[in-house]
Amino acid sequence: MSSIILIGYMGCGKSTIGKRLSTKMNKPFIDTDQYIEEKQNCPISEIFNKHGEQFFRELETQCLKELIEKKCGYIVAVGGGLPMKEENRVLLKQLGTVIYLAASPQTIYKRVQNDTKRPLLQVKNPKERIMQMLNVRVPIYEESADILISVNNKKIRRIIREIEEEIALCSY
Ligand code: S3P
């Protein structure tokens, strides 16, 4: 059974929108960060600290493989860096329809500026870090996605409606 996967940079709203979609579409919601934290019994920031980013990236790949094995239709919100690995992009396609929630650097900065839980943004100049990472990531997000939804200045209700419309078009 095919899943719906939300990708995009940190703070673009994957978890919030994913939970709403899950209720509306009556499909179970999975957040890969949460899945990994529960399995490891350890917060993401501590996994990064203790074992490094590479180890975390391997856990993300493992998580995708497990979700594919379960053959259940989920709404999945994936960590912002997950699609950066080619192997993961192949797995995402196997898992289902990929939706990129595109947010501008301004939208992202507003949402993550006081965050302490995302290890990659605990730097002196998070604005610059966001810009640098987006330069690398946006083309990959776009390449990975079946559907692109811009989330800037939109209410959640509208984003959900747009997603539903696009999914309906995809299934024709
Ligand atoms: C990361 C995004 C985070 C989390 C980790 C790394 C990234 O998830 O997986 O901190 O590389 O963009 P969210 O996108 O859910 O914040």
Side-chain angles (χ1 to χ4, degrees):
M1 211 178 170
S2 188
S3 293
I4 291 168
I5 308 112
L6 303 175
I7 65 167
Y9 194 78
M10 294 175 259
C12 69
K14 290 165 293 188
S15 302
T16 312
I17 292 163
K19 282 181 199 153
R20 286 278 196 99
L21 266 185
S22 146
T23 312
K24 271 205 99 179
M25 301 180 84
N26 202 20
K27 286 179 185 243
F29 174 69
I30 303 266
D31 180 313
T32 59
D33 285 345
Q34 207 182 326
Y35 184 98
I36 289 170
E37 285 183 330
E38 279 167 17
K39 223 175 156 200
Q40 298 295 310
N41 197 19
C42 185
I44 302 288
S45 52
E46 222 174 296
I47 300 177
F48 268 69
N49 271 339
K50 278 195 190 153
H51 306 285
E53 182 175 349
Q54 195 49 43
F55 179 72
F56 172 72
R57 299 301 174 197
E58 281 159 26
L59 297 177
E60 287 189 312
T61 303
Q62 192 51 40
C63 169
L64 286 181
K65 287 181 179 166
E66 287 171 15
L67 295 182
I68 291 169
E69 285 261 301
K70 287 185 182 160
K71 295 192 173 77
C72 175
Y74 294 108
I75 305 289
V76 189
V78 306
L82 183 146
M84 298 307 111
K85 202 166 149 187
E86 197 185 348
E87 182 182 8
N88 291 349
R89 294 200 286 279
V90 175
L91 293 170
L92 284 174
K93 286 214 183 311
Q94 287 176 32
L95 187 58
T97 306
V98 180
I99 303 179
Y100 168 33
L101 301 180
S104 68
Q106 293 76 9
T107 302
I108 290 166
Y109 182 67
K110 247 196 275 171
R111 293 186 188 172
V112 301
Q113 58 184 332
N114 298 318
D115 183 274
T116 54
K117 293 198 176 130
R118 292 174 168 110
L120 297 177
L121 296 179
Q122 309 313 306
V123 291
K124 256 205 192 122
N125 192 340
K127 243 184 204 165
E128 196 180 293
R129 166 61 68 93
I130 291 168
M131 291 298 294
Q132 286 166 348
M133 289 175 83
L134 283 175
N135 279 340
V136 176
R137 287 184 174 191
V138 166
I140 299 175
Y141 289 143
E142 288 177 354
E143 178 205 314
S144 317
D146 301 299
I147 296 169
L148 184 153
I149 304 279
S150 165
V151 298
N152 300 310
N153 307 314
K154 285 182 191 163
K155 295 226 162 72
I156 294 180
R157 211 182 323 138
R158 175 161 167 208
I159 298 169
I160 300 284
R161 196 177 61 233
E162 289 183 15
I163 291 176
E164 286 176 324
E165 284 166 5
E166 289 289 337
I167 289 172
L169 284 177
C170 266
S171 45
Y172 271 112

